[in-house]
Amino acid sequence: MTRKKAHIISHSHWDREWFLPLESLRFRLVTLMDEVEDLLDKEAGFNHFHMDGQMIMLEDYLAVKPAKREKMKQLVADGKLRIGPWYMLQDAFLTSGEANIRNLQYGLEMAEEFGQAEKIGYFPDTFGLYGQVPQLMRQAGFDTVVFGRGVNPTGFNNQVFDSAFASKYSEMFWESPDGSKVLGILLANWYSNGNEIPTDKEAAKIFWDKKLADVERFASTDEWLFMNGCDHQPVQTDLAEALEVARELYPEIDFIHSHFEKYQDAVKAGLEPEKLQTVHGELTSQQSDGWSTLANTASSRIYLKQANAKIERLLERLAEPISVMATEAGVSYPHEYLAFAWKLLMENQIHDSITGCSLDEVHREMEARFEKVEQTTMAIIQSAARKITEQIATNDAGIPITVFHAGGVEATRTVELELETDAVHFSEMHFELIPNELAKLPEQSFRMETSNGEEIPVVVEPLGIHFNYDLPERKFRDSYFARKYKLTFTVEHLPAVGYQTIYAYPVAVSDDEKELTGDLQLENQYLKVDLQLENQYLKVEIAPNGTYSILDKEKAVEVAGLGAYEDVGDIGNEYMFKETGDNLRINTYNSKPEIRVLREDKLGKTIEIKHEIEIPVSASATFAEEKRRLVWHPARTSHRSENRTTFKINTELTLNKHNKQLTVRVKLDNQVDDHRLRVLLPTGKQTETHQAGSVFEVVTRANKQVEEWTNPANDNRKQGFVTSGNIVVASLDLPEYEVSEQGDRLELTLLRAVSEIGDWGDFPAYEAECHREITAEFHVFLTDESSVNVPAQVNALLAPTFAIQHPSSSKEKILADTKDFAKWKVADGLVFSAFKLAKDNQPIIRFYQTASEPKLLNTVNLWRKSTILEETAGDAKNQFTVKPNEIITLKGV
């Protein structure tokens, strides 16, 4: 008979910022690490300390005590300090696939600099897990994952419930949609089940009798896991003594001060695979009562989600690809600066940060970080683009403009650019005289053409005379005044991953343009009453109540009644939505909004719909008492206030002439508390399931939940898009949605305003009420369910473009004016994900497969198949078969 082994792993789950701000917790972190170092050096029975799977914890410590770096390296090399593999512990669903890969790459790189990484997929407190985790872990060389959520239900203060729909064992197999499989170890009794072990024999007997029984109930082997620590837990300095007491009390059990690699090896050696269940795909507590899935963190502080999604796309679709393109202009790829930008962004992607479930101070600091990382990213983009345009051969007649695009498929896009002409530098004329001299110049407009002479439709808006400056590489700053214009134009056939150069030619202002300028233009537009939008693909008609119908002419599919709004009371918290006890819902179905044409020009048309609804100003006064008493959110019953205020919702519907989708922009100025606003979108048919974009996959979800589900809501998270019935809704930064049980209505959350963190205490977070202006944008298009290309179409649609006016340059013009770097051809169902350089400066491309059968990826050049860590394997070739749901990374030869 084998002996039972109790593996005690010392750790402290380190939420970098949460119910205390970063610097308050960093102070505690420094104390913790100093004590850990002392124990590892001097205490014979204290052998290991687990650094919570995240390198940023060590980075934060060394920021205060940089002299400790070599000591930390020694402890890592000795196997005592267990570090990595992540840079930080992210939220899985609110960060992109590429962000998840960079997190692992940079975490492992940093861990290897210190000596070695703990080779285990560690997700102790991630708010659910996407289904492709096993595939990513396998590609990284890991075969075991440890996680705390997604299978067992959890409750107040992370209490783990013993229920009929919990996992039978803490060990299981977990399989990705592509068939990749790992050993999954569920922290069935949470990551604190071995916390604060008593040294007193009597207390220790009571402690261990309960803890051993709790673990044995879930364990499938004789290797039992006890996590000695919890959130921000100080290290147990008398642990060696406590374990000696345990050994004396239970001589039949081996008590081991362990680490995860030792524990996982022991578990794998003792497994009986036939006993274990296999769980498939995403883990979001599907088999639960639905109250603690934490899905509503997707709508808390929606402004954070918007900033994060914007910067992810700037990095993935512009900064990295344009930096690759710039290498052809002799520019070094900025590996270090891109890593700096990604890591700065990742500071905001930690699971208690990007989820919006922390103190106001935490999220204020996040906004400053988002500004910093956007500045960093734009500096990378602008520098690389400028270096490229300096060497593009152009004609001498027009003003050259280059548009960069990396959506993965050829595209037509409407682009905005501020163009300067007639610059007069301070070195040429006294600065006080320049504006008056420029004002004497005749009015001008612009005609635009491709390099082949094809005309490009453009709308020109004069912006007046403005100050600006150049920052030459080898000279002092050069100030000037210039005339500035906003050009909005449509560019067709943008390369899948590349750039196209076009030309603006100054022309005299026509009589028509003179009439449609200034106040007269605004007045004429507002007098129009044509309440429909139409191009060759779509026809959109607006009803008097502000809802709209969309007809897809090509697919002969029509859906009506789209775009009503519904406001409900919310007495939940940053983690969870809970509707008020009165169930008072206010919608716009019977409203009479002001509707007018905002814009109509050669590019397309925009109609504005202005709703005003009367809604309660907040929850009722009893809500404050419920929060004070820590009433668990499912049991709250407060109503909405009887006091009401006017809530304005401004909607802009835009259909440009080339668009196959309707773009909807909603502008809110929220000054109301304790409520949630959604847009309601009928889907055109009833279904039992729907699909949503997720991390490197398209996941099919049931509309109706399991019998045990008691939460009235069935909120879900998406990345990029959700489709049900005949509609597809695409957005970067509105991750929360709900589909009705019948599948005939989709609800997209635009705003959720709450006042507390929630979870284990009374933590006010009044800024989570989101008293601010918020602009939400999404796209709607129709489907006949026959197209496998929806994921790739959405991926390309949401890719930003970057346009730049060429600088004057004396450099040799050696680059083509248009170039497509996408030297590959992908079959339907393959979605483009990355174009970057590996550390050895070889190009990397990545796709993921969403079709149900194998697809071909053909390339012009030779590539080798690679892992997500950019390690190659196999022969160089130019054709690859990509199986369903596979994430494929190729590395140039």
Side-chain angles (χ1 to χ4, degrees):
M1 182 176 178
T2 59
R3 289 174 59 84
K4 293 178 170 55
K5 299 181 183 65
H7 293 259
I8 292 85
I9 296 181
S10 293
H11 78 111
S12 186
H13 176 57
W14 206 261
D15 299 302
R16 190 173 188 247
E17 50 191 11
W18 180 28
F19 66 92
L20 286 172
L22 168 61
E23 297 309 328
S24 299
L25 288 172
R26 194 200 302 258
F27 190 87
R28 295 177 61 87
L29 173 64
V30 171
T31 301
L32 168 72
M33 292 305 301
D34 285 345
E35 290 184 343
V36 166
E37 177 194 345
D38 191 60
L39 284 170
L40 291 174
D41 270 348
K42 299 176 181 177
E43 181 62 60
F46 193 95
N47 305 314
H48 312 285
F49 188 81
H50 178 66
M51 289 287 285
D52 203 33
Q54 53 177 334
M55 294 304 303
I56 199 169
M57 189 176 173
L58 189 54
E59 196 171 66
D60 284 345
Y61 171 66
L62 293 174
V64 176
K65 295 198 170 185
K68 292 287 187 179
R69 178 174 291 271
E70 292 307 313
K71 180 61 179 179
M72 296 298 108
K73 285 185 175 182
Q74 177 194 326
L75 292 174
V76 172
D78 292 342
K80 294 181 177 182
L81 197 63
R82 314 297 297 187
I83 61 172
W86 302 103
Y87 179 68
M88 53 80 201
L89 293 180
Q90 77 278 35
D91 181 84
F93 286 99
L94 297 176
T95 53
S96 71
E98 291 301 320
N100 277 264
I101 287 178
R102 300 301 181 285
N103 186 11
L104 190 58
Q105 286 178 321
Y106 293 133
L108 287 171
E109 285 177 13
M110 187 176 174
E112 287 164 5
E113 289 173 6
F114 278 83
Q116 58 185 329
E118 187 101 71
K119 295 296 180 70
I120 192 165
Y122 192 62
F123 302 86
D125 197 20
T126 314
F127 300 173
L129 289 164
Y130 50 87
Q132 292 283 34
V133 165
Q135 183 176 178
L136 292 177
M137 293 298 98
R138 278 292 187 179
Q139 288 203 26
F142 301 176
D143 61 8
T144 305
V145 172
V146 174
F147 60 97
R149 297 184 189 271
V151 177
N152 275 33
T154 57
F156 184 76
N157 201 16
N158 296 323
Q159 172 191 358
V160 180
F161 294 126
D162 184 10
S163 67
F165 45 95
S167 171
K168 183 177 180 181
Y169 294 119
S170 52
E171 299 81 28
M172 66 199 75
F173 295 115
W174 183 13
E175 188 173 71
S176 278
D178 75 311
S180 298
K181 187 181 288 189
V182 294
L183 173 64
I185 297 174
L186 171 68
L187 299 172
N189 295 287
W190 207 234
Y191 52 69
S192 57
N193 68 321
N195 194 27
E196 298 180 351
I197 302 172
T199 56
D200 175 79
K201 282 189 178 182
E202 185 175 340
K205 184 71 166 59
I206 296 171
F207 176 91
W208 282 113
D209 280 351
K210 181 179 188 313
K211 297 295 184 178
L212 291 168
D214 286 345
V215 170
E216 186 172 24
R217 189 175 80 239
F218 288 107
S220 68
T221 75
D222 292 329
E223 310 293 333
W224 295 352
L225 177 63
F226 296 91
M227 300 293 288
N228 177 233
C230 197
D231 301 343
H232 312 107
Q233 179 76 22
V235 63
Q236 183 169 347
T237 56
D238 60 358
L239 180 64
E241 180 185 352
L243 294 186
E244 284 301 322
V245 171
R247 292 175 185 121
E248 184 179 340
L249 289 171
Y250 304 89
E252 74 281 7
I253 298 175
D254 292 334
F255 288 85
I256 306 166
H257 195 217
S258 191
H259 56 78
F260 271 113
E261 287 190 8
K262 180 185 290 186
Y263 167 70
Q264 73 168 344
D265 290 345
V267 169
K268 286 188 285 189
L271 276 182
E272 299 178 52
E274 66 278 2
K275 291 172 58 176
L276 302 188
Q277 69 185 90
T278 299
V279 294
H280 299 272
E282 62 180 7
L283 303 182
T284 56
S285 297
Q286 302 100 319
Q287 300 294 119
S288 75
D289 62 6
W291 277 113
S292 298
T293 63
L294 308 189
N296 298 121
T297 54
S299 56
S300 294
R301 301 182 190 254
I302 198 70
Y303 58 91
L304 300 176
K305 282 66 173 176
Q306 292 179 313
N308 179 68
K310 175 184 179 182
I311 296 167
E312 281 182 335
R313 282 282 156 160
L314 289 176
L315 281 165
E316 296 167 18
R317 294 292 181 267
L318 290 176
E320 289 179 337
I322 296 178
S323 293
V324 178
M325 300 174 203
T327 60
E328 296 212 346
V331 180
S332 297
Y333 188 81
H335 290 285
E336 295 85 1
Y337 227 111
L338 283 165
F340 173 77
W342 271 113
K343 289 178 182 178
L344 188 56
L345 177 60
M346 287 177 197
E347 290 187 48
N348 280 357
Q349 294 186 330
I350 297 171
H351 60 281
D352 287 312
S353 300
I354 189 57
T355 47
C357 54
S358 298
L359 286 181
D360 292 336
E361 297 95 318
V362 167
H363 298 303
R364 275 186 235 127
E365 188 169 357
M366 284 181 64
E367 290 192 85
R369 281 193 214 116
F370 277 133
E371 289 183 9
K372 288 178 65 175
V373 70
E374 184 172 356
Q375 293 164 9
T376 301
T377 305
M378 288 308 302
I380 294 170
I381 293 167
Q382 291 163 349
S383 175
R386 183 182 179 93
K387 294 293 178 61
I388 292 169
T389 54
E390 284 177 345
Q391 298 185 40
I392 290 178
T394 59
N395 68 42
D396 298 325
I399 302 170
I401 298 164
T402 294
V403 182
F404 293 87
H405 171 257
V409 297
E410 184 182 279
T412 298
R413 290 288 180 267
T414 297
V415 180
E416 291 184 357
L417 172 74
E418 289 189 356
L419 184 78
E420 291 182 337
T421 66
D422 307 303
V424 180
H425 293 258
F426 289 10
S427 59
E428 302 173 78
M429 183 183 298
H430 193 281
F431 72 89
E432 292 179 344
L433 303 176
I434 298 174
N436 290 336
E437 289 301 310
L438 289 176
K440 296 175 185 177
L441 297 175
E443 294 181 60
Q444 68 178 1
S445 186
F446 296 89
R447 173 175 54 83
M448 297 192 74
E449 292 182 358
T450 67
S451 57
N452 296 326
E454 299 172 1
E455 186 168 355
I456 295 173
V458 59
V459 174
V460 181
E461 179 186 349
L463 299 178
I465 298 166
H466 289 263
F467 166 81
N468 206 344
Y469 58 89
D470 287 325
L471 294 175
E473 289 185 4
R474 297 290 181 266
K475 294 172 62 179
F476 189 60
R477 62 178 181 261
D478 191 0
S479 301
Y480 63 89
F481 281 102
R483 294 203 286 180
K484 184 179 286 188
Y485 303 84
K486 178 183 175 183
L487 305 187
T488 307
F489 50 93
T490 299
V491 185
E492 297 182 354
H493 309 299
L494 278 171
V497 180
Y499 61 81
Q500 180 178 347
T501 301
I502 59 178
Y503 296 88
Y505 297 91
V507 296
V509 178
S510 67
D511 291 339
D512 289 341
E513 286 177 305
K514 289 179 181 178
E515 290 179 3
L516 291 175
T517 58
D519 294 337
L520 179 61
Q521 181 188 28
L522 192 65
E523 181 181 351
N524 285 345
Q525 288 172 342
Y526 281 178
L527 287 174
K528 294 178 182 180
V529 293
D530 178 17
L531 302 184
Q532 70 175 29
L533 305 160
E534 187 169 9
N535 62 16
Q536 61 179 313
Y537 306 111
L538 301 180
K539 182 176 182 180
V540 180
E541 294 187 289
I542 294 93
N545 67 355
T547 61
Y548 40 92
S549 65
I550 302 177
L551 169 65
D552 187 307
K553 299 178 182 180
E554 293 180 316
K555 298 184 177 69
V557 176
E558 183 173 15
V559 177
L562 299 159
Y565 297 97
E566 182 178 73
D567 190 85
V568 306
D570 189 344
I571 51 174
N573 52 50
E574 290 182 322
Y575 291 97
M576 305 157 189
F577 166 77
K578 172 63 168 67
E579 188 169 358
T580 47
D582 53 7
N583 296 314
L584 177 61
R585 298 190 169 205
I586 298 167
N587 61 54
T588 61
Y589 282 117
N590 296 319
S591 64
K592 295 181 179 180
E594 180 183 351
I595 307 174
R596 55 191 179 183
V597 175
L598 189 62
R599 171 189 72 95
E600 187 169 14
D601 51 42
K602 64 183 72 175
L603 300 181
K605 184 175 177 180
T606 299
I607 290 179
E608 182 183 56
I609 305 168
K610 302 177 75 173
H611 284 99
E612 292 188 359
I613 57 176
E614 298 297 313
I615 65 173
V617 297
S618 66
S620 63
T622 60
F623 182 38
E625 179 65 10
E626 287 187 312
K627 289 185 288 185
R628 189 187 68 80
R629 293 174 47 234
L630 304 184
V631 176
W632 187 231
H633 65 284
R636 293 177 177 178
T637 60
S638 295
H639 289 200
R640 305 187 77 175
S641 171
E642 294 182 0
N643 298 324
R644 296 200 173 202
T645 189
T646 300
F647 188 74
K648 297 179 180 180
I649 308 169
N650 287 2
T651 307
E652 295 176 6
L653 305 181
T654 297
L655 184 65
N656 286 334
K657 292 189 176 178
H658 68 277
N659 285 353
K660 294 185 177 182
Q661 75 283 339
L662 176 70
T663 298
V664 184
R665 179 173 293 174
V666 186
K667 298 179 179 180
L668 311 168
D669 184 3
N670 181 56
Q671 302 300 323
V672 177
D673 293 346
D674 312 323
H675 71 126
R676 183 190 70 189
L677 182 72
R678 282 180 162 178
V679 60
L680 310 180
L681 302 161
T683 68
K685 64 164 58 174
Q686 293 190 355
T687 60
E688 293 183 354
T689 62
H690 67 275
Q691 291 187 315
S694 188
V695 178
F696 292 124
E697 69 172 319
V698 176
V699 60
T700 299
R701 294 174 176 147
N703 299 335
K704 186 175 181 179
Q705 286 292 0
V706 294
E707 183 179 346
E708 296 87 357
W709 194 277
T710 59
N711 188 344
N714 181 18
D715 303 321
N716 275 299
R717 292 161 286 193
K718 68 170 179 64
Q719 287 200 1
F721 76 97
V722 57
T723 178
S724 182
N726 291 123
I727 72 166
V728 179
V729 178
S731 67
L732 268 180
D733 48 19
L734 298 172
E736 182 184 283
Y737 74 92
E738 184 173 6
V739 173
S740 65
E741 283 194 5
Q742 294 75 30
D744 55 357
R745 188 166 88 169
L746 190 157
E747 301 178 7
L748 187 66
T749 306
L750 305 178
L751 169 72
R752 198 164 69 87
V754 295
S755 60
E756 64 168 355
I757 294 180
D759 201 4
W760 60 276
D762 182 10
F763 297 106
Y766 189 65
E767 291 173 22
E769 296 284 14
C770 299
H771 288 181
R772 58 174 67 208
E773 293 182 357
I774 290 175
T775 299
E777 184 174 283
F778 59 94
H779 310 274
V780 183
F781 58 97
L782 304 187
T783 177
D784 55 9
E785 299 183 350
S786 63
S787 176
V788 73
N789 278 330
V790 166
Q793 290 170 352
V794 170
N795 182 61
L797 174 65
L798 299 178
T801 57
F802 179 74
I804 182 173
Q805 178 181 351
H806 284 216
S808 57
S809 172
S810 59
K811 291 189 176 182
E812 183 182 1
K813 309 295 185 178
I814 59 173
L815 299 180
D817 65 358
T818 297
K819 181 162 185 178
D820 192 347
F821 289 76
K823 303 300 183 183
W824 56 78
K825 183 178 180 182
V826 298
D828 293 349
L830 281 168
V831 182
F832 171 74
S833 185
F835 181 49
K836 61 185 290 288
L837 291 191
K839 288 173 65 177
D840 61 3
N841 289 318
Q842 291 299 315
I844 292 288
I845 55 175
R846 185 162 27 253
F847 300 85
Y848 61 98
Q849 221 270 65
T850 62
S852 58
E853 63 280 335
K855 294 288 184 177
L856 286 179
L857 193 165
N858 293 289
T859 65
V860 174
N861 302 323
L862 292 175
W863 299 77
R864 283 192 174 92
K865 199 168 181 180
S866 169
T867 68
I868 60 169
L869 300 182
E870 299 168 4
E871 300 161 340
T872 56
D875 297 331
K877 53 185 180 179
N878 57 16
Q879 185 178 84
F880 299 85
T881 300
V882 190
K883 64 183 180 181
N885 300 298
E886 181 181 357
I887 303 163
I888 183 169
T889 304
L890 302 181
K891 189 172 183 179
V893 176

